[in-house]
Amino acid sequence: MPATIIVGGFWGDEGKGKIVAHVANTDKPSIIARGGVGPNAGHTVEIQGQKFGVRMIPSGFVYKPARLLIGAGVLVNPEVFLKEVEILKVADRAKVDYRCAIIEPKHCEFDRSADHLRKIGTTGSGCGPANVDRVNRIVKQAKDIPELKNFLTDVPFEINKALEKGDFVLVEGSQGFALSLYYGTYPYVTSKDTTASAIASDVGLGPTKVDDVIVVFKCFPTRVGAGPFPTEMPVEEAERLGIVEYGTVTGRRRRVGYWDGELARYSAMINGATQIALTGIDKLDKECYGVNEWGKLTAKAKEFVERVESEVKVPVTLISTGPELSQIIDLRKEKL
Ligand code: GTP
Ligand code: IMP
Ligand code: MG
């Protein structure tokens, strides 16, 4: 059985949380593993009127039989992790790789006070400074923290054992392609690579073990914090289109732009995308809100999906039509 990685294609906040939760519910993984930077991420999952914003626990938590693992590459803030474990009631299945690096209050303080980081507009969650200490080889690891004692595991070992048994494993990235330390709009980027290869490495999955990479794009890309945004639209235009979004972690207003086919294609190339999940089609055409079938999309929406496929050269297999988990068109069986 395969391993699938889900990553963000633009500047984060593409709606990975919702897509991961949907794929988890439909494809039933025995493990959902989280790669990416750390608690700078905020994934939103809306289910039956309840809204969850998770920063550490994989967004697939809604699928109850799965183990929820945090890969060694990810930074852990023990306070954030333990709080989410309690709120989501996942103490029996949430685990952290014993080698994860730990974010301490001093990292958050530095992230919020250093001039150059304020100019970049970081999330202030301590991720950059903790990664600096990690590279300096002075950071604490999960195995050094008594409060995490009952949550430690060897994530690569668990994942590879599950794959050998024939289970499906779902791997979730965070942030997005254009925030990658290597390929993004440097220096206005996060503190690590965010592409699928990095996410695989974060959880200890070798490149030959990855079968599918789903890249999530939103119809209208957004960006929080400073830095280049070639297709950005004026605030008044975003308001006129009814696209007003705020960050899950920082509450900052997201900048909004038009679809960027060139960036999407470059992002899909480096991510090795095999499928595209497109979110926010209801923002392109309000009549598509909550639609569950391809045939019920408007001509405008269908044309847009076809344009995306012709520009990016990768099939669109999932189309999200609203924030709620059930608002989705799943074309995977028809297309693959
Ligand atoms: P990061 O890991 O922080 O990059 O986040 P993310 O990719 O998980 O996205 P996030 O949850 O931060 O932001 C996406 C927002 O769009 C959330 O508020 C979702 O509820 C919402 N959303 C997701 N899909 C759709 C959709 O198809 N239509 C609309 N209108 N909203 C959506
Ligand atoms: P940092 O990752 O907190 O260092 O922030 C660096 C840049 O990445 C800033 O522009 C942040 O706004 C952005 N960023 C980091 N994590 C996310 C995310 O999950 N969603 C959107 N932007 C993010
Ligand atoms: Mg987010």
Side-chain angles (χ1 to χ4, degrees):
M1 271 293 272
T4 292
I5 300 183
I6 298 183
V7 287
F10 287 137
W11 282 276
D13 305 324
E14 297 90 354
K16 292 177 291 295
K18 174 186 166 166
I19 298 297
V20 168
H22 169 79
V23 173
N25 276 346
T26 51
D27 296 15
K28 310 191 184 319
S30 67
I31 291 176
I32 304 165
R34 164 97 148 67
V37 185
N40 48 352
H43 299 291
T44 314
V45 184
E46 284 190 42
I47 178 164
Q48 285 152 8
Q50 258 191 308
K51 190 168 171 172
F52 302 93
V54 284
R55 296 173 58 192
M56 295 256 47
I57 299 290
S59 333
F61 68 86
V62 292
Y63 178 62
K64 299 225 159 59
R67 275 171 83 73
L68 307 169
L69 310 184
I70 299 180
V74 181
L75 298 161
V76 171
N77 180 326
E79 209 181 307
V80 176
F81 171 80
L82 293 167
K83 200 163 148 200
E84 286 184 6
V85 162
E86 195 188 315
I87 291 172
L88 303 173
K89 302 187 177 60
V90 292
D92 53 333
R93 58 195 181 106
K95 297 279 178 249
V96 172
D97 192 281
Y98 64 95
R99 293 153 288 201
C100 285
I102 297 297
I103 297 177
E104 295 183 69
K106 64 179 179 190
H107 298 127
C108 301
E109 280 154 30
F110 188 79
D111 205 5
R112 287 172 196 154
S113 59
D115 274 350
H116 72 289
L117 296 178
R118 288 178 61 170
K119 276 187 203 134
I120 288 168
T122 68
T123 58
S125 55
C127 289
N131 270 334
V132 169
D133 279 359
R134 188 173 211 180
V135 174
N136 260 337
R137 284 146 288 182
I138 55 172
V139 84
K140 284 186 182 155
Q141 289 181 293
K143 63 179 166 54
D144 305 321
I145 309 295
E147 292 78 15
L148 294 178
K149 200 173 80 222
N150 297 331
F151 296 97
L152 301 180
T153 192
D154 182 323
V155 170
F157 187 71
E158 283 209 31
I159 289 181
N160 286 282
K161 212 170 58 173
L163 288 173
E164 261 170 42
K165 261 192 356 209
D167 292 354
F168 172 55
V169 171
L170 184 57
V171 181
E172 161 181 352
S174 67
Q175 287 73 46
F177 172 77
L179 289 173
S180 162
L181 180 65
Y182 299 166
Y183 304 111
T185 50
Y186 190 90
Y188 298 97
V189 292
T190 189
S191 52
K192 257 177 70 178
D193 181 24
T194 51
T195 64
S197 309
I199 305 301
S201 159
D202 285 341
V203 301
L205 192 61
T208 53
K209 302 272 175 68
V210 180
D211 302 78
D212 263 307
V213 175
I214 304 178
V215 179
V216 187
F217 292 114
K218 59 207 299 194
C219 295
F220 292 98
T222 60
R223 163 159 216 174
V224 276
F229 190 175
T231 63
E232 185 168 14
M233 65 175 81
V235 180
E236 302 75 40
E237 177 66 358
E239 280 172 4
R240 198 186 62 76
L241 293 171
I243 312 172
V244 180
E245 295 185 27
Y246 294 91
T248 316
V249 176
T250 57
R252 289 181 292 177
R253 182 138 174 198
R254 293 176 181 159
R255 297 157 64 193
V256 182
Y258 296 103
W259 172 255
D260 187 339
E262 205 181 319
L263 176 63
R265 188 169 180 176
Y266 194 68
S267 163
M269 177 182 80
I270 295 183
N271 277 306
T274 58
Q275 300 178 47
I276 292 173
L278 203 54
T279 61
I281 199 93
D282 53 303
K283 295 191 172 170
L284 185 84
D285 190 341
K286 292 187 175 40
E287 279 179 52
C288 297
Y289 184 79
V291 163
N292 286 111
E293 288 169 42
W294 171 259
K296 292 190 176 152
L297 284 179
T298 59
K300 184 180 175 187
K302 285 180 183 164
E303 272 164 32
F304 182 77
V305 174
E306 282 155 13
R307 173 184 160 195
V308 169
E309 289 189 328
S310 79
E311 285 176 351
V312 187
K313 309 264 183 282
V314 175
V316 173
T317 55
L318 293 161
I319 303 168
S320 176
T321 59
E324 162 75 33
L325 195 53
S326 60
Q327 294 171 321
I328 195 159
I329 302 170
D330 191 333
L331 300 167
R332 288 177 296 165
K333 287 197 185 68
E334 288 162 46
K335 288 205 173 180
L336 299 174

